[in-house]
Amino acid sequence: EPVRAIAVSENETLIGLNAGARHLVTATQGGVNLWDTTSGDRVLSLGIGATSSGARLTESGTHLFVEHRGDSETRLELWSLDEGVVTAELVVAGSPSLVAIDPTGARLAVADYDHAVRVWDFASGELLAQIDLQTQASQISLAAAGDVLGVVHGRSGVSLWSVAQPQRPLLQEFGDGNWQLVFAPSGTSVLAGRPAAGYQTYRSRDGKLVGPAIGVRSDAAQAFLLAYSQDEQ
């Protein structure tokens, strides 16, 4: 049975639950609302603006990540759900191809259409690394500590990069297929591969193979069902 019914306006959309499921987070046309899951009351409203419906929770559930895209520049914001304020902000030129944030919101990766991915310290605005790819990225992600970048190159392959040493990849695998790459919750390992050949586990810090191929399938319906359990086993 439901443990709590929360009455929200019909024009609000669900964003998710914050850390510890203490609050339900919803978006309106101009802002974001936090609802107490114990009482059902609205306890906080964030004036994020017109892009509120595209806001997303960090994996840690403590912050909200917001993109304000424009023709000449894009403003990226990190909102604290406890304090209801912007704790980090970065402005980049134009409208980037892809944006990814690490689970805690400490680091931010931005992919442009020049095949480059730039990794920033979100709080200080310091550029930590520029990683020049051979092909355009279709998906980017950061490991838990924000120290390793994972890239999917469309149907061509995947690569893994150290933010501290971005000159050469830790791992590159190429071939036609529905490639996927996901980091473990701890960030210490990564699963990468494609359904037809299977997926393999690599060590994030150096790209070393640490397990046999798993999940070999020819069924196209399984192409995007790849994830770690919370115990990473």
Side-chain angles (χ1 to χ4, degrees):
E1 296 180 356
V3 295
R4 173 62 56 190
I6 300 177
V8 301
S9 172
E10 63 181 356
N11 64 351
E12 294 191 45
T13 57
L14 177 67
I15 294 179
L17 291 165
N18 74 343
R22 294 182 297 112
H23 297 112
L24 178 75
V25 186
T26 63
T28 66
Q29 292 183 347
V32 168
N33 292 324
L34 271 68
W35 305 82
D36 189 300
T37 53
T38 301
S39 67
D41 296 332
R42 185 174 65 182
V43 294
L44 185 65
S45 292
L46 308 178
I48 288 174
T51 59
S52 58
S53 61
R56 60 184 188 268
L57 289 165
T58 57
E59 288 185 30
S60 63
T62 59
H63 291 79
L64 200 65
F65 179 58
V66 183
E67 301 179 38
H68 299 278
R69 291 180 177 258
D71 294 333
S72 60
E73 65 179 28
T74 295
R75 188 172 77 257
L76 306 168
E77 296 175 344
L78 190 69
W79 289 73
S80 168
L81 295 180
D82 287 334
E83 302 173 13
V85 298
V86 176
T87 59
E89 182 179 352
L90 180 70
V91 177
V92 296
S95 183
S97 168
L98 299 166
V99 178
I101 192 168
D102 74 12
T104 64
R107 291 185 174 184
L108 184 69
V110 179
D112 290 313
Y113 292 98
D114 59 358
H115 295 184
V117 179
R118 295 169 180 88
V119 181
W120 305 80
D121 182 288
F122 208 172
S124 68
E126 177 188 0
L127 178 62
L128 302 174
Q130 176 173 320
I131 297 167
D132 296 309
L133 306 175
Q134 294 180 354
T135 61
Q136 187 66 33
S138 60
Q139 176 189 324
I140 57 175
S141 55
L142 287 166
D147 56 343
V148 180
L149 174 77
V151 181
V152 177
H153 303 265
R155 292 183 59 87
S156 300
V158 293
S159 58
L160 200 65
W161 303 79
S162 168
V163 174
Q165 297 178 316
Q167 296 80 15
R168 62 172 60 186
L170 301 171
L171 170 71
Q172 282 193 131
E173 293 287 343
F174 290 103
D176 183 62
N178 291 318
W179 288 90
Q180 295 179 78
L181 183 150
V182 294
F183 285 105
S186 67
T188 58
S189 65
V190 60
L191 271 170
R194 48 191 168 147
Y199 306 92
Q200 292 185 299
T201 308
Y202 302 89
R203 199 161 56 194
S204 297
R205 62 181 173 86
D206 56 12
K208 182 180 178 181
L209 181 67
V210 293
I214 58 174
V216 180
R217 287 182 177 271
S218 59
D219 184 359
Q222 309 298 326
F224 301 104
L225 299 177
L226 184 66
Y228 273 90
S229 60
Q230 286 300 308
D231 64 4
E232 302 186 16
Q233 299 302 310

